[in-house]
Amino acid sequence: MRHRNAKTSPHQPQVLKQLNKRLILQTIRRRQPVSRAEIAEETTISRTTVSQLTDELLREGWIREVGQGVSGAKGGRKPITLSINDDAAWVVGVDIGGCGTTIALCNLAGQIKQKRTFPSPRTSMLDTLSEQLQRFLSQVDPEIRIIGLGIGAPGITRSSDGVVLSAPALGWTDVPLKRLLEERLGLPVYVDNDVNVAALGECWKGAGKDKQNVIMITVGTGIGCGLVLDGALYRGSGWAAGEIGSMVTDADAVDQWTDPVFAGFGFLESKAGGPGIVRQILGRMEKTDSSSPLRRDADRLTAKEVFDAARKGEPLAKSVVSQSIRHLAAGIINAVVLFDPEVVILGGGLMGSADLMLPKIREAVKRLSPTQPEIRKAQLGSDAGVIGGAALVLKECSEPIGGVL
């Protein structure tokens, strides 16, 4: 694919220079190792400008010379090739969860170098997060260049100014997280919804690598969805795109359903999220004389135990799990029909039972969807959020390396 030189007014040479540097960096990252001549040919930036800007990027440490390429058809001297210097700068990814929060220091290749996890207290989360970040950063080598923090928050987040509009799991409403942390840490901070951030991580280093149109759905306590369309996050007009947990997958519920699992959670979550599955089987046990072994631990029952019982053939658990998977499959089919992705990635705590869920979901999508995306299990596990946080920084920051993803 060929690119045009960045256009700007004669009064903005510095802007043009930065745009061209970013374009060169993007090309190096995608094609590395790559020669200056190949960069000029692909970007249509003049060879002289490419040479000047790559020399500048070398001095700044963003790129490195890695050896000689292949001689041209006419022979001659082999060109020097260039690659991104993965350790030229570092980024911090933060995954805020309702129960626990993880902080990680990553290099420009998304490799985690340091990581820490701590409990997420509901009553003092802001102060705890700030203190933990300050402590984490204080232990990083001061010679390391950190260009920013990328944070995934569990709720509706206005990424333009980093305000968490609603995060029921943390009891947050209209929290200006970006501003508060930038004031305390003195570093650029970028904030987005946690599933959006996890989707960036999976698209960078996991199950969505090299894909431009991806739906990521996480199934756990709630059900979240991140949408990557044409290589960019789609956030919606009110920053709430992907709230698939509120999708209604039963026509009768349009008039009848008034009973959320708890405040802030929607219909699909009540049928296929962890607490919803537990509540369904407890309700069934109350209405029947079932001798289910799950009765013995009803007060401490978890969705995992329901899936385990279904796997062993327990009739009540099998029925509840089967219904939950049907609701989840219906939600996935609806999302596929709307957005026509290349791949649907399924993650979250309940994907520990992927052996029960994925075959039925794949069969339903194959049978009922007019398009046939791949249905994959997430690959990065609990690291998706922090790697995605690093990816968010590299997509949004104004440093020269920004925009290379």
Side-chain angles (χ1 to χ4, degrees):
M1 177 180 177
R2 297 179 67 85
H3 302 271
R4 297 183 181 275
N5 280 25
K7 304 286 187 182
T8 186
S9 76
H11 304 293
Q12 295 179 299
Q14 191 61 32
V15 172
L16 176 60
K17 179 180 177 180
Q18 288 300 104
L19 291 173
N20 280 337
K21 284 177 77 171
R22 183 165 295 194
L23 182 54
I24 288 168
L25 281 166
Q26 289 173 332
T27 305
I28 294 172
R29 180 187 176 275
R30 186 173 62 254
R31 294 277 306 276
Q32 60 187 322
V34 61
S35 71
R36 291 169 175 83
E38 289 169 329
I39 295 169
E41 181 180 3
E42 178 161 332
T43 62
T44 70
I45 299 172
S46 73
R47 290 197 178 201
T48 300
T49 300
V50 168
S51 181
Q52 291 172 345
L53 294 181
T54 54
D55 286 349
E56 190 170 313
L57 289 166
L58 282 165
R59 289 194 300 272
E60 294 169 348
W62 293 117
I63 61 175
R64 56 197 176 98
E65 294 181 334
V66 292
Q68 294 183 327
V70 178
S71 298
K74 297 181 180 180
R77 189 175 178 183
K78 295 180 180 179
I80 298 296
T81 55
L82 303 168
S83 181
I84 296 291
N85 178 6
D86 292 336
D87 294 333
W90 300 73
V91 286
V92 176
V94 184
D95 182 20
I96 303 175
C99 296
T101 294
T102 301
I103 307 169
L105 181 68
C106 303
N107 70 4
L108 298 178
Q111 297 167 330
I112 295 175
K113 300 297 185 178
Q114 296 180 33
K115 185 167 69 170
R116 172 186 296 165
T117 299
F118 60 91
S120 300
R122 185 180 174 92
T123 56
S124 58
M125 183 58 199
L126 276 173
D127 289 337
T128 299
L129 177 62
S130 176
E131 291 166 6
Q132 290 285 346
L133 284 169
Q134 288 172 329
R135 187 179 308 166
F136 184 85
L137 292 169
S138 71
Q139 295 171 355
V140 174
D141 185 339
E143 297 298 315
I144 284 176
R145 172 166 49 182
I146 296 177
I147 60 175
L149 290 82
I151 300 177
I156 298 173
T157 301
R158 191 169 62 214
S159 61
S160 61
D161 58 2
V163 173
V164 181
L165 302 174
S166 174
L170 300 174
W172 286 359
T173 301
D174 296 330
V175 173
L177 188 60
K178 173 182 172 69
R179 177 178 62 78
L180 292 173
L181 290 180
E182 286 185 339
E183 289 173 353
R184 299 181 189 187
L185 303 176
L187 286 168
V189 174
Y190 307 90
V191 186
D192 211 320
N193 167 266
D194 57 346
V195 186
N196 284 352
V197 170
L200 288 180
E202 288 287 341
C203 285
W204 187 16
K205 307 294 291 185
K209 188 175 182 180
D210 299 324
K211 304 295 185 184
Q212 292 294 300
N213 294 279
V214 175
I215 294 176
M216 180 167 182
I217 296 172
T218 57
V219 188
T221 301
I223 300 177
C225 176
L227 300 167
V228 176
L229 306 177
D230 292 331
L233 282 173
Y234 178 72
R235 298 178 173 104
S237 62
W239 310 95
E243 289 294 311
I244 194 174
S246 294
M247 186 177 285
V248 178
T249 51
D250 180 348
D252 291 339
V254 173
D255 294 324
Q256 299 173 8
W257 187 74
T258 57
D259 190 22
V261 177
F262 48 93
F265 285 75
F267 180 84
L268 182 56
E269 287 162 328
S270 77
K271 298 299 181 182
I277 289 171
V278 170
R279 195 165 71 163
Q280 286 177 76
I281 199 164
L282 292 177
R284 295 261 198 107
M285 287 192 291
E286 287 179 4
K287 295 176 182 178
T288 67
D289 295 326
S290 169
S291 58
S292 170
L294 296 174
R295 283 184 179 276
R296 293 193 298 270
D297 298 309
D299 292 341
R300 300 186 301 274
L301 191 61
T302 66
K304 180 182 181 301
E305 290 167 333
V306 177
F307 275 95
D308 288 343
R311 195 176 285 107
K312 294 174 183 176
E314 200 284 314
L316 203 56
K318 283 180 65 178
S319 176
V320 169
V321 165
S322 179
Q323 183 187 48
S324 297
I325 294 173
R326 287 197 299 272
H327 278 284
L328 182 59
I332 291 170
I333 291 165
N334 291 339
V336 166
V337 170
L338 282 173
F339 297 108
D340 187 22
E342 298 162 85
V343 60
V344 177
I345 301 171
L346 299 178
L350 290 192
M351 279 300 107
S353 297
D355 59 312
L356 294 180
M357 302 174 76
L358 282 181
K360 294 182 179 180
I361 291 170
R362 285 171 175 151
E363 187 278 328
V365 171
K366 183 177 181 179
R367 182 165 44 87
L368 296 170
S369 172
T371 60
Q372 299 297 311
E374 294 182 69
I375 311 293
R376 297 179 179 175
K377 184 179 177 181
Q379 294 180 357
L380 300 181
S382 60
D383 287 338
V386 290
I387 292 174
L392 181 66
V393 175
L394 295 181
K395 278 187 173 291
E396 302 291 337
C397 78
S398 57
E399 286 273 357
I401 201 71
V404 300
L405 283 176

